[in-house]
Amino acid sequence: MAELNLAIVYYSSTGTNHQMAQWAEEAGKSVGANVRLRRVPETAPMEAIEQNPAWKEHYEKTQDVEEATTEDLDWADAIIFSAPTRFGVEASQFRAFIDTTGGLWGQGKLVNKVVSAMSSAQNPHGGQEATVLSIYKTMAHWGAIIVPPGYTDPVQFASGGNPYGVSATAGEDGIVEDIEEAVKHQAKRTVETAKWIKDGQGK
């Protein structure tokens, strides 16, 4: 079986998507993938970050997490994205990173990457599904192979039942739903699918 590289690329302002990414990282490693956990560079001005104590705390706490680059995407066989929703689409910081991938796209280096996505919002119907689907629209332009969790495991129902990608409701005390196992299932499914594809290419 071919070795499998998994990049987990996330943006998180106060920690929700960072936690989801960490669960995905744990699951990816548990099924034998080489995993890179990468945070999208913060583009907001420090004045804005400092006005929100939770944002500032998380920003400072995660400075040791390596920033995502397009090289991480080139290296990866599979990619899991996690980003909060802003008015039904990805946070601008995440979008800014995606907008740097034109060079790879132009060289055809994003074709057949196996991708999956997750999201969060402040309330249960705050745009998570729309955000995941927005990410997938870009992945279609890449020629990537989109792997949603669907209803492939009962944990999807326990976590809210979003078939496109795990979605979290982020309250003042953290993630409201019990989504850890759903995140791990989505990550394992992404890796498993990528292994099938990579093994098939080698035959």
Side-chain angles (χ1 to χ4, degrees), residues 110-116 139 143-147 193 197:
L110 297 171
V111 172
N112 293 336
K113 299 289 185 182
V114 173
V115 298
S116 200
M139 301 304 101
I145 298 168
I146 298 166
V147 179
T193 303
I197 291 166

Side-chain angles (χ1 to χ4, degrees), residues 10 12-15 18 39 42 46 49-65:
Y10 77 93
S12 193
S13 54
T14 58
H18 179 228
R39 63 180 173 87
E42 181 61 77
M46 279 306 300
I49 296 170
E50 289 172 347
Q51 289 175 13
N52 183 324
W55 192 357
K56 182 181 179 183
E57 179 185 1
H58 181 70
Y59 175 80
E60 293 175 346
K61 189 168 66 174
T62 56
Q63 286 304 295
D64 61 333
V65 180

Side-chain angles (χ1 to χ4, degrees), residues 93-139:
Q93 292 91 334
F94 181 86
R95 191 69 235 175
F97 171 71
I98 294 298
D99 286 347
T100 68
T101 63
L104 288 182
W105 171 81
Q107 298 172 66
K109 291 186 174 182
L110 297 171
V111 172
N112 293 336
K113 299 289 185 182
V114 173
V115 298
S116 200
M118 308 181 291
S119 188
S120 67
Q122 191 174 355
N123 52 66
H125 302 289
Q128 295 97 323
E129 290 188 2
T131 296
V132 171
L133 291 173
S134 178
I135 294 171
Y136 288 163
K137 283 193 293 184
T138 297
M139 301 304 101

Side-chain angles (χ1 to χ4, degrees), residues 27-196:
K29 288 180 176 178
S30 76
V31 291
N34 302 315
V35 182
R36 290 185 184 180
L37 178 68
R38 297 291 188 263
R39 63 180 173 87
V40 167
E42 181 61 77
T43 59
M46 279 306 300
E47 308 91 82
I49 296 170
E50 289 172 347
Q51 289 175 13
N52 183 324
W55 192 357
K56 182 181 179 183
E57 179 185 1
H58 181 70
Y59 175 80
E60 293 175 346
K61 189 168 66 174
T62 56
Q63 286 304 295
D64 61 333
V65 180
E66 287 191 48
E67 288 190 344
T69 69
T70 56
E71 191 277 327
D72 295 312
L73 304 182
D74 190 16
W75 167 85
D77 301 299
I79 307 163
I80 295 173
F81 293 112
S82 193
T85 182
R86 298 289 188 265
F87 301 110
V89 295
E90 313 94 301
S92 62
Q93 292 91 334
F94 181 86
R95 191 69 235 175
F97 171 71
I98 294 298
D99 286 347
T100 68
T101 63
L104 288 182
W105 171 81
Q107 298 172 66
K109 291 186 174 182
L110 297 171
V111 172
N112 293 336
K113 299 289 185 182
V114 173
V115 298
S116 200
M118 308 181 291
S119 188
S120 67
Q122 191 174 355
N123 52 66
H125 302 289
Q128 295 97 323
E129 290 188 2
T131 296
V132 171
L133 291 173
S134 178
I135 294 171
Y136 288 163
K137 283 193 293 184
T138 297
M139 301 304 101
H141 282 259
W142 284 7
I145 298 168
I146 298 166
V147 179
Y151 298 112
T152 55
D153 191 281
V155 295
Q156 283 303 110
F157 296 99
S159 66
N162 183 347
Y164 310 112
V166 175
S167 58
T169 306
E172 290 185 5
D173 298 320
I175 299 172
V176 174
E177 304 93 349
D178 183 9
I179 64 168
E180 180 177 352
E181 292 308 311
V183 169
K184 290 180 177 179
H185 168 67
Q186 183 170 344
K188 290 175 183 177
R189 173 171 160 77
T190 303
V191 169
E192 181 181 51
T193 303
K195 283 181 177 178
W196 293 340

